[in-house]
Amino acid sequence: MRQTFAAALLIAVFAGLSVMWCPDRWAVGVAQCAIFGVGSAWTCCVLIARCALPAGFAHIPLLGILFWGGVQLALGWTVYPWQTCETMLYWFTNLLALTVASSLSQDTETAHFLRKWLFAGGVALSFLAVLQNFTSDGLVFWHFKAQYTEDLWGPFLYRNQYAAFIELLLPIAWVSALLDENKRWPYLVVTAGLFSCVVASASRAGLILAAAEILVISAILLSRRELSLTVLGKALVPLLLLATIFAAVVGPETVWARLQQHDPYSERGQWTVASLSMMRDRPIKGFGLGTWPLVYPAYAATDDGVFVNQAHNDWAQAGVEGGLPVFLCFAAFFLWTVRTGWRTPWALGLSFVLVHAVVDYPIQRQALGAFFFLFAGVSSQLRRRSREQLSSTLAK
């Protein structure tokens, strides 16, 4: 039964991802309604069977964000109550995805089932996105016309969100290539393919972080003596060759040109400076969850008539919208992902996505947020299994 619910949860999240390109409210509702349906059914089963709910730290920061949003609504601190309610719904959906995934993953077999199909589905979508970008003439899945066509990668309308999606998947492929000798070459091909997808996307932050993931994971496994320099060399050399070949096929010219840009952070720097000014005015209360785009014009240094939809710095935006309490919740969840990534390096993508959030907004679309927190829920339980196995080994 657990695997049936796990499959339903996966279908819910990937259904949300598949329509993420559509600007209409119903497209957001696909992920929300599907996850609510699965979550409600699973909750009923848990209550009937009187099973224990998962315990862990990962849920606390999300509960804290929701609590503070409720306080803002109750005390009239938000400048736009409707948008704060919408953003609370976003966070509640993420919390539900995290909780259900964590609960299902208390069974190790189900946890590995979820991780396997999150990875397989994510890799398939990533490769499909590159193929579509080069062959569809700006149509989503070769059929649907999107609102924006210049930076279209599958259902992803923004290169940095596509790159962040791959940042979650790349560590699984690389860790498997290093530790699974029997399947090293297939995983090396997938790792190189994912890296070339980031190159094709021309995301500067994505390219830097994807390379950093490979180096950091290798260093962690070496420091824990789970990997030798000889094995690392056998994997790293062919990975570099494959990545070079694949990158040449998709074309590195665009990302190279973007890396050569003078002061690439100029606009985003202005938005971050404005965000800091906003935080100084309401350091505790915040302006209300989801209200950064509405408040920003009053703090903008220049007005070029362009609507700025996000701060392109989720950390600063968290501080603006929720004040210090929400910023600390965001930071606490990040620290949890770092600890989780140290225990289970294949989950380090969670940390790298939140590092990416310093210069962008990689998970603010509902389907992406649900995918991210579903991944976190699975990671939380497999991390616990890793810790229990280590304790058992030391006890012997």
Side-chain angles (χ1 to χ4, degrees):
M1 184 180 70
R2 282 179 178 269
Q3 289 200 10
T4 301
F5 275 100
L9 186 60
L10 288 168
I11 292 171
V13 171
F14 279 103
L17 287 170
S18 69
V19 297
M20 193 173 59
W21 55 271
C22 181
D24 297 336
R25 181 63 179 81
W26 69 264
V28 178
V30 167
Q32 291 176 339
C33 292
I35 291 171
F36 270 78
V38 176
S40 299
W42 176 247
T43 300
C44 291
C45 291
V46 169
L47 292 175
I48 292 171
R50 297 182 180 180
C51 298
L53 289 172
F57 179 82
H59 304 76
I60 297 175
L62 275 67
L63 287 169
I65 292 172
L66 284 167
F67 171 78
W68 198 248
V71 170
Q72 290 177 324
L73 286 171
L75 299 182
W77 290 348
T78 174
V79 300
Y80 193 12
W82 182 86
Q83 187 58 53
T84 297
C85 289
E86 277 284 301
T87 305
M88 288 180 67
L89 181 59
Y90 162 84
W91 283 108
F92 185 76
T93 305
N94 292 338
L95 175 63
L96 193 58
L98 172 69
T99 303
V100 174
S102 182
S103 180
L104 289 169
S105 297
Q106 290 182 99
D107 172 63
T108 304
E109 186 177 345
T110 305
H112 286 292
F113 173 85
L114 277 169
R115 189 185 75 163
K116 172 186 174 181
W117 289 107
L118 276 173
F119 177 68
V123 169
L125 184 58
S126 300
F127 291 165
L128 181 69
V130 171
L131 180 62
Q132 174 200 282
N133 181 266
F134 287 107
T135 63
S136 71
D137 196 25
L139 296 177
V140 180
F141 301 131
W142 296 272
H143 183 73
F144 303 102
K145 187 175 182 179
Q147 186 178 8
Y148 306 103
T149 59
E150 293 181 0
D151 194 19
L152 186 63
W153 302 91
F156 302 92
L157 299 181
Y158 186 32
R159 61 167 57 94
N160 285 301
Q161 290 176 344
Y162 173 55
F165 182 76
I166 295 172
E167 287 162 22
L168 282 174
L169 306 171
L170 186 63
I172 300 179
W174 181 230
V175 169
S176 300
L178 291 173
L179 301 184
D180 190 344
E181 185 176 357
N182 295 327
K183 298 180 180 179
R184 178 164 296 149
W185 275 99
Y187 280 117
L188 281 174
V189 171
V190 172
T191 305
L194 290 172
F195 189 84
S196 68
C197 289
V198 178
V199 172
S201 75
S203 169
R204 292 166 297 199
L207 180 63
I208 293 168
L209 290 172
E213 284 182 325
I214 291 171
L215 296 176
V216 171
I217 288 170
S218 302
I220 289 175
L221 293 177
L222 284 172
S223 68
R224 290 165 54 171
R225 297 183 180 179
E226 295 180 26
L227 178 70
S228 68
L229 285 172
T230 301
V231 173
L232 176 60
K234 289 180 179 179
L236 192 57
V237 171
L239 175 67
L240 292 174
L241 292 173
L242 288 169
T244 301
I245 294 169
F246 293 165
V249 171
V250 299
E253 297 84 5
T254 304
V255 71
W256 178 251
R258 297 190 77 236
L259 287 169
Q260 301 304 307
Q261 288 180 358
H262 177 67
D263 196 9
Y265 195 68
S266 57
E267 282 189 331
R268 298 180 188 190
Q270 293 178 19
W271 301 332
T272 298
V273 169
S275 297
L276 294 175
S277 298
M278 296 152 75
M279 291 167 66
R280 282 194 294 270
D281 285 353
R282 289 198 182 187
I284 303 298
K285 297 189 296 185
F287 286 90
L289 298 182
T291 61
W292 187 95
L294 303 172
V295 179
Y296 167 72
Y299 291 83
T302 59
D303 182 7
D304 56 6
V306 176
F307 175 69
V308 183
N309 64 334
Q310 305 288 347
H312 289 73
N313 182 334
D314 280 349
W315 293 75
Q317 188 162 332
V320 169
E321 296 180 352
L324 185 61
V326 170
F327 179 85
L328 291 177
C329 288
F330 204 86
F333 190 83
F334 171 70
L335 292 176
W336 175 83
T337 67
V338 172
R339 290 191 63 191
T340 299
W342 174 257
R343 295 275 187 185
T344 52
W346 58 264
L348 263 176
L350 294 165
S351 300
F352 277 89
V353 168
L354 294 181
V355 171
H356 198 154
V358 174
V359 294
D360 227 298
Y361 55 105
I363 60 170
Q364 285 203 32
R365 302 296 298 274
Q366 181 64 86
L368 284 171
F371 185 90
F372 177 88
F373 286 102
L374 195 163
F375 193 97
V378 177
S379 304
S380 68
Q381 294 303 312
L382 290 177
R383 169 182 176 266
R384 183 170 291 109
R385 297 289 182 274
S386 175
R387 184 176 59 199
E388 290 171 355
Q389 290 171 2
L390 178 62
S391 299
S392 175
T393 301
L394 292 175
K396 294 177 182 178

